[in-house]
Every structure is written in C-alpha cells, then in structure tokens.
Amino acid sequence: MDGASGSNFSSRNTPVENASSENLSPLEQDILDEYARLVGNLNNLSTSLSTIAAQPSSEILDSLRGLERKTSLVFTLLKASVYSIVLQQQIEGEEDSGAQGGSDIGR
C-alpha cells in the first residue's frame, strides 16, 4: 500500500458522513467509521515503518553485527563438534571392523 493512495482513501472517507449515510443503520455507520479509523492507523503505521526502514539506527546495526559474530562463532563450534563426532564414529567403525576381521582370521 503506498502512502499516496492510502491517504486519498482516508481523506475521502473520514468521517464517513455523506449523502449515502442517510441510508445506513447506526451500526453500519459505526462500522464504516471504524474502518476509516483503521485506514488512518494503517497509513500512520506504513509511514512510520517506511521512515524506520529508510534510516536504520546505528544501535540496531551495531547489535546486529554483534549478533552476527556470535552466530558465526556458534556455527563454527557446531561444525567442529559434528566433525569430531563423525571422525570418532569412523575411527570406532574401523576398530570394530579390524577386531572382527582379526577374529575371523584366527578361526
């Protein structure tokens, strides 16, 4: 939703009191008024989010850099652990097959 089309809609319909409102029940009018307020709130939210996205704060960027460093450290440690486990399983598998092979030869 771009700000231009959303704000045009909101300015046309806020408050929703026009000639057709004479044909509406009070409940229908209240619902339309709530929708008009919702459109205004969504436009405000959209504007705020656009501003935040266009100008990220240095605090957020610094925090994300720190998080990236920690995440890469954890990933490296995880890879080392997985490699260690796989290597240990291979060594155990070779020892088991060597022990079985040796016992078969002696029979």
Side-chain angles (χ1 to χ4, degrees), residues 58-78:
S58 60
E59 290 178 22
I60 294 173
L61 292 175
D62 291 341
S63 297
L64 288 175
R65 283 187 194 107
L67 180 64
E68 182 181 21
R69 276 187 233 113
K70 290 176 184 177
T71 304
S72 66
L73 176 61
V74 168
F75 180 66
T76 301
L77 292 173
L78 178 67

Side-chain angles (χ1 to χ4, degrees), residues 7-26:
S7 59
N8 288 342
F9 180 74
S10 127
S11 64
R12 266 194 328 237
N13 294 326
T14 306
V16 183
E17 295 176 5
N18 53 22
S20 67
S21 68
E22 296 170 359
N23 299 332
L24 299 176
S25 71

Side-chain angles (χ1 to χ4, degrees), residues 3-67:
S5 65
S7 59
N8 288 342
F9 180 74
S10 127
S11 64
R12 266 194 328 237
N13 294 326
T14 306
V16 183
E17 295 176 5
N18 53 22
S20 67
S21 68
E22 296 170 359
N23 299 332
L24 299 176
S25 71
L27 179 61
E28 292 171 330
Q29 186 64 44
D30 288 343
I31 291 172
L32 288 176
D33 290 340
E34 287 297 321
Y35 274 120
R37 276 197 291 176
L38 179 62
V39 167
N41 289 338
L42 288 174
N43 285 335
N44 291 340
L45 178 63
S46 176
T47 302
S48 298
L49 290 175
S50 296
T51 303
I52 290 170
Q55 303 170 358
S57 74
S58 60
E59 290 178 22
I60 294 173
L61 292 175
D62 291 341
S63 297
L64 288 175
R65 283 187 194 107
L67 180 64

